[in-house]
Every structure is written in structure tokens, then in C-alpha cells.
Amino acid sequence: MKAPIGWLKDFTNIEVSPKELADAMTLSGSKVEEVISTDITGVYVGKILTVDEHPDSDHLHILKVDFGRDEIGHEVQIVCGAPNVEVGMLCPIAAVGAHLPEIDIKKGKIRGVESNGMCCSADELGSIGAGKPGADVYGLWDLRLLDKVPEVGTDIRDLFNLDDMVTIDYEITSNRPDCFSIEGLGREAAVTLGKPFKGINPTIKQEGSLNTADVAKVDILAPELCYRYCARTVEDVVIGPSPAWMAERLTAAGMRPINNIVDITNYVCLELGQPMHAFDLDYLKNNHIIVRTANDNEPVKTLDGNDHVLNSSNLVIADEEKICAIAGVMGGENSEVLDTTKTILFESATFNGVSVRKTAIANGLRTEASSRYEKGLDPENTLRALDRACELVEMLGCGKVSKGVIDVYPTKREVKKIPFRPAKINSFIGIDASEEFMLDILNQLECKVEDGIITPPSFRPDLESEADISEEIARFFGYNNIPATLLNSSATTLGGRTRAQALTEKIKDTLVACGFFEAITYSFESPADLDLLKVAEDSPLRNQVKISNPLGDDSSVMRTTMLPSMVRIAARNSNRGVPAAKVFEVAYVYLPDEDPANLPEERQTLCGFAYDNTVADSKSIFYEVKGIIEELASVLGIRSISFEACTDNPSFHPGRTASVIVNGRKIGVFGVIYPEAAENFDAPKKAVFFELEAKALTDAAKTDRVYKQLPKYPGISRDIAVLVNKSVAVGDIMKACKSAGGKLLKEVEFFDVYEDSKIGDDMKSVAVSLMFRDENKTLTDADIKDSYDKILAKLDKQFDAKLR
């Protein structure tokens, strides 16, 4: 919500700087996103003394100008190309060193002639010319056209009071519909600064010859969706531009001025937070407004020129023949106020917020009106806003307000009653505020306190309980003023992570230590991602949780695998010139239950990748990732981890992929992405990806560490190289060694594979290192001979392995 400070000053006396106001409002609960200032300095009202043609141009002029300021000069030369320049003109002139919204002014030469500043158009000064006389003329802004001709030398900041045009952009939470208005923010500013608040209390003369109730009629056929509908007619309407002050405020608040009648409805929407609409009465059949739900497949063309087809859940404003507006969202084109409009019907109504939101989303329309209605507006503000609009009509002289008003109010909001117990409020917050202080704050917030009962104002639907009242007291008492206290022993609780959370953090820390960066990706994706990843048609991963109200097809299902997200990250980094990267994420995948009535399983998963475009092939990266997984297992105390070749996963290269086995159970996979899948995502083809069940890792982790004394006696190492068929996995050879080695065999490590036509085209040599040790003595060759022979025998029997 953008609020110009000059507009806020209508409601309270603001004597602090914009920054001080922003800081104070943030501390009192109205968070400030940005302070937007009109960044113009060094620009003054100047007078053009002489105009001479440039000797080397057919459109440039050499001017002598008077800045009217001794420190700058009374006869300064400027080169200008504006077509409307003339002697005696008063215009904005930027001196050397001046700052404009898009340029800093420097001394220079233009086609060989020195220029010491710049004469400005209204556009070059940004938004300050909105609605002002002469600002829409092509060329220099002739300030002689202003309502009051300024003096030469006047600073533009002072002339247009730019300090009041500073705008503060507030982040308003959805439970505070009152703060979606300048008045609501003005009230907050008044209480924050300890200043009196001046609300809007409109008065209207009603000088028209008609009576609204005689010329128009309103019926509400859906009282559960329309709580209140007020209307007034305005006669002898004169359509024209809005005055400069209104155009300035609308522009500063983010709205474009259109014409006086439309601008009045937008002005009231911003000022009081009540959306309004103006109907051309001549286009309402029998001047009859009917608030009803639409018929199924009923068409309407809105003010933006788009056609919409509505259904019976959409609330509309209609006459006796047609829809004239989508209630709370946008008016219909058939009732638009035109330059020829002479009589209008002002509408001010309160609609059901949920209904408005659903209608706006279903029709792809998000407007200032719908964003306010969906928060839940105050029905008691409806008539006041209508009167304010009519007051502005009379102020601007653009019509005569008819006598009387139509006010249909079938559904009134329940008045809440909240106990006022100062002691409980103090106990709840942990302060010692006086009852007088609390009453003063509540009175400033327009809460009534009688006989120990608080009645919140109708514009504060968020105040429902004592906790809400305590929050109001706390934020104006000052969060910084609440004393820090320790909990007593009976209330003290020790916080901390669960075992699984602590182990998950250890996983993350280990990967970071191994050079990885952590990523965060979305949990929803496109069903087409599995096609790009080459996932089998009958794969369980295809059974995805569908989102009932997706933002689009690209985010219509919950992911069953994190691989698409990681592949996209790899592709983005590689395509942007990052030669090597390591990225991981620990997050959830969502697996539907067999019973649709049950919630899906949320399975925590570890997924990541590593690539290096500078290496010749992916072998070194594959083994690096394997080593990182082994390091992860070591840090977690997982003793039983192994790897098996994986050839049945279509997302991975069948010859460069391995399954990860922990305690005899497959918990994931790692390997090179399948080339076609990598091409589908435009990802690096040498990237190695891994996806593991994080819960399986944390469940298998052994956090207890048992001290084991270093061996007193040396071990005996034996290296063996055996010839086996190329189809035999190294991991199987190592398992066979461990099973046959007996108690003396402590370690088995693979260190080499050799392939050559000399040993056979279908053969390979696998070398492993065996470490034997006895805790009680120094071993001899004779001691290990039996174990050594059993290992060779097992390898021969199981793999037909021959010792080289």
C-alpha cells in the first residue's frame, strides 16, 4: 500500500522526517517496504532572456537564462532544442550539478557551443507534472500557465512541495483491511507518533433536483454474498480532467488519473479503503440495480475490453436485462462513464470476500477493488465512502448530488465483546503498563471500553480475543521497551533438534565440507518432467499427487523425485559458464497412499550432483561422488555400505550407475545421467547425480563412538591380482575376499583394474590389497597362509579367478 506523506498529513500532524516515520511505523507493526522520494535537486524556476539560433543546427537554440539566484547566475548560456522556447518564458531549469530522475546535469558542449544546464519538460521531472496546467505540452513546461505564476529562482522542490510527495510503501497483512487505506495508515501514524487523529466526516449539500430513491431502485437477491449496498445519483455531470492535487496523489499512490468521476472513485478507494463504481444511469434498464448470482455460461464484457463467461457461483451487479459489473472485481463495458454521461449512479457496497476472491481468480482479474474486498471490508464504512465521493463531486464542481440515498443493509456484522483485564494483559506480555495507558491506546484505536468490556470498532475485524488486545497494547508500548526476563525453573524448557534433525544437519555440513552448495527448490513440478527424465511409463514415480488449484501446468503435481530440479540447476549453471559445480538439497518427495483419503507419504530425500566440464570423461567425477557417499557414511557411523551396478534405471547411463546399499537395503542410486535425458534438459552430459533416502541414512547412523585402542602388533599386507571375466564386478570380488578371509582379515581395498588384449579381450585383471592382523601377536606368513589360500580358493570357485 503506497501512502504519500502529504496525504497522510490530512489525518494527523507529521513533524518527523520520512525515514523517522518509516522506522516508527515499522516498530509499531506497520512494516515499511520502501521510502520512495522524488529525487530532484538543483532545479529552479528560470526565465529565458534571449533566444538565438545555433550556427550548426536547424533545431537547436542558444539561450540566455536567468536562474534568479546569485550563486548560479542571472545570465547563463544553455543550448536547448525545445520547439516552444520563447523569450520571457518561465520554465524549470536544471543547473550544472543538478539531479533529475534519469540524468545528472554536467557542463558540456553541444555542437561546439558551451551549455551550462538544461531547460526541462514536465516529463523530464518525473511524475510531479501530473494534472498540472501545461505539463502535457510537447517541449518545455511553461510555468506561466500555473494557477499562480511562480517567482524566478524558486526551487522546484518548494514550488511543488516535493517533500510531501515522498511516498511510503507499506506491507499490509491480510488481517488488517483498515490499513489498505490512507485513513487507516493515518490512524496508525497518529497513535504511533502520539498525535491527534482527524478522520473523514463528509458533508454534502445535495443540490440536485432529483431524489435518488425516486429515480433508481436496488434489490439484493443474494444477501449472503452482498451485505450492504448504498447508492446515490449525481445530476448534470461534467466529465473532465481532475485537479492537479488529486492527480498528484493518485499518481504517487500508484494509480493513473483518467477523468474526474473515475478518479473520484479511485481516490475514495485509496483514501477510505472502500472500492466504488460509477454507472451511467442512462444505460441501466429501468434504473434498476439487481445484485444476484450469474446464470451458468452468462457472458459479460468488462471495462478492460475482455469477454468473460460466468457461472452461478459468481456474484454480479445487473439491471433487468444484462450484467453491468462483476461484483467487487470490475465494471461492465455497457455501463461505462463516457464523456457524454450526464447522470451517474454511485455504488458503494460490501461483498463477501471469499466470493470476490474466487470470482477474480476464476476470471483472471486482479484489481485494486478485488484485493480489498477479499480482505473483508467494513459494512459500516460503505455509506460514509459514498458520501465522501459525493462530497468530492461537489468540491470539484463536476455535478450536483441528488437528494436522498438508497441503503439496502440485509446482513449486519456481529459486534464482538472482549473482556478488558489489564492485569492479564500485563502478565501475557510481560510488562507493567498502567490501566490509564491501556485505555488511552484503546481509545485512540477507537475501541470502546465500558464496564470491563472492550467493543472493537467495526473496521477492526482482526480484534477477536484478549490476545489480540494484548498485541495492540504491546506494539504501542514498544516491543523494544518490553524487559528481557528469564523463565522461572518451572516454565523453563530446553529446546533442541531431534536425533533425525541433528543427523540431517550433519549430512548437510559434511557435503558442504566436501565442496557442495545447498539449494532450495520447489516441491511442485510439471508431469512432463518425468518424460524428459526418461522415467518408465509403469514406474511408481508416475503416480503423482495432483494439485487442485495449480498456478499452471508447470507446477501442477507434487514431485516424486528430486532429480528434475537438480538437473535443471546443473543445466542452468553449465549454460551460464560455470565450468564445475557441486550442489545438493535435502527436501521431501510426496508419494500418494493407496487410499486416496489418506495424506501422501512425505519422504525426506538427499539429492545432488557434481560436474566438471574441464575433465575428459565422467569416470573421475563418478569415483569422486562415490568417495563422498562413503565419507558421508563414515561421518554417520554407517559400517555396512556397498555399491552394486545398476542397469535398470532409464534415467541413468546403464554402464555408469550404481545402487547404494546400506545394511542390505537399497536406499538410492548415483551415476551419470542418461545422455538423452541430459539433452532434454540441456544439462552437462558428464554430470554425476545422486538421490538417496535421507531417512534411511539417519536411521542407519550410529552416533555413539566407542574408543578402540590402536593395535599393538603390526599387520601383514598382501596384494593379489586375479584374472576374471569382464562381467565380474569388483564389489563382488571384495565381498568374496571378506567372507573367506576369516577373523585375521581386517581390511580389503581395491586399487587397480587392468585390461589388455594380451590377457584376453573378455578378461580383466583386478588388484586388491589384503590386510591381516592379530590383536595378540605378530603374525607370520604361516599364520595367514590358511586365510590366504581360502580367499584364492573362493575366488577360483565363485568367479573362475586365476592368480596372475
Side-chain angles (χ1 to χ4, degrees), residues 121-132:
S121 66
D123 288 342
E124 289 164 331
L125 298 180
S127 61
I128 66 174
K132 296 184 175 64

Side-chain angles (χ1 to χ4, degrees), residues 249-433:
R249 287 185 170 184
L250 289 174
T251 302
M255 281 192 171
R256 179 176 60 88
I258 299 174
N259 62 50
N260 47 13
I261 297 299
V262 175
D263 290 351
I264 284 173
T265 61
N266 289 337
Y267 189 90
V268 173
C269 177
L270 292 172
E271 184 178 56
L272 299 183
Q274 173 63 52
M276 294 184 60
H277 188 65
F279 295 99
D280 187 328
L281 197 62
D282 293 338
Y283 289 92
L284 294 177
K285 180 68 174 180
N286 294 330
N287 300 346
H288 189 185
I289 288 285
I290 303 172
V291 185
R292 61 174 174 84
T293 54
N295 300 316
D296 286 331
N297 300 317
E298 189 171 7
V300 63
K301 177 175 282 190
T302 48
L303 286 171
D304 58 3
N306 293 322
D307 293 311
H308 302 273
V309 178
L310 306 181
N311 57 50
S312 58
S313 67
N314 303 141
L315 186 68
V316 299
I317 311 300
D319 61 14
E320 295 179 358
E321 290 184 344
K322 60 189 179 297
I323 295 176
C324 300
I326 303 177
V329 182
M330 186 177 288
E333 191 178 61
N334 53 34
S335 61
E336 181 181 5
V337 174
L338 305 172
D339 292 343
T340 57
T341 298
K342 294 302 178 185
T343 307
I344 62 172
L345 180 79
F346 270 134
E347 164 203 278
S348 179
T350 307
F351 305 112
N352 178 277
V354 174
S355 171
V356 170
R357 177 174 174 78
K358 288 182 177 179
T359 299
I361 292 175
N363 290 278
L365 294 170
R366 290 284 290 168
T367 61
E368 288 284 347
S370 67
S371 66
R372 283 169 169 77
Y373 275 121
E374 65 189 30
K375 307 296 187 299
L377 297 185
D378 176 18
E380 298 301 319
N381 192 39
T382 306
L383 181 57
R384 185 173 70 112
L386 176 64
D387 290 345
R388 174 58 171 164
C390 292
E391 182 183 48
L392 290 171
V393 167
E394 294 178 344
M395 287 173 59
L396 272 55
C398 54
K400 296 180 180 178
V401 179
S402 302
K403 298 176 177 62
V405 62
I406 297 175
D407 184 4
V408 183
Y409 197 173
T411 309
K412 295 195 176 184
R413 181 178 290 173
E414 179 185 356
V415 178
K416 300 184 182 70
K417 303 291 184 181
I418 303 172
F420 176 54
R421 295 184 287 183
K424 185 170 183 180
I425 292 174
N426 278 330
S427 175
F428 188 82
I429 305 172
I431 60 176
D432 188 21

Side-chain angles (χ1 to χ4, degrees), residues 414-419 448 450 453-456 463-465:
E414 179 185 356
V415 178
K416 300 184 182 70
K417 303 291 184 181
I418 303 172
K448 294 181 180 178
E450 293 180 352
I453 298 295
I454 302 171
T455 305
L463 299 183
E464 299 179 331
S465 65

Side-chain angles (χ1 to χ4, degrees), residues 542-592:
R542 295 278 184 178
N543 186 20
Q544 297 172 302
V545 178
K546 294 180 175 58
I547 300 173
S548 59
N549 58 338
L551 297 175
D553 291 339
D554 289 343
S555 55
S556 59
V557 295
M558 302 300 290
R559 65 186 176 193
T560 52
T561 171
M562 292 170 60
L563 277 175
S565 301
M566 287 295 114
V567 177
R568 290 188 191 281
I569 294 176
R572 189 178 304 116
N573 280 272
S574 180
N575 294 333
R576 292 184 181 179
V578 179
K582 296 177 183 176
V583 177
F584 79 94
E585 180 182 12
V586 179
Y588 291 94
V589 296
Y590 302 85
L591 308 176

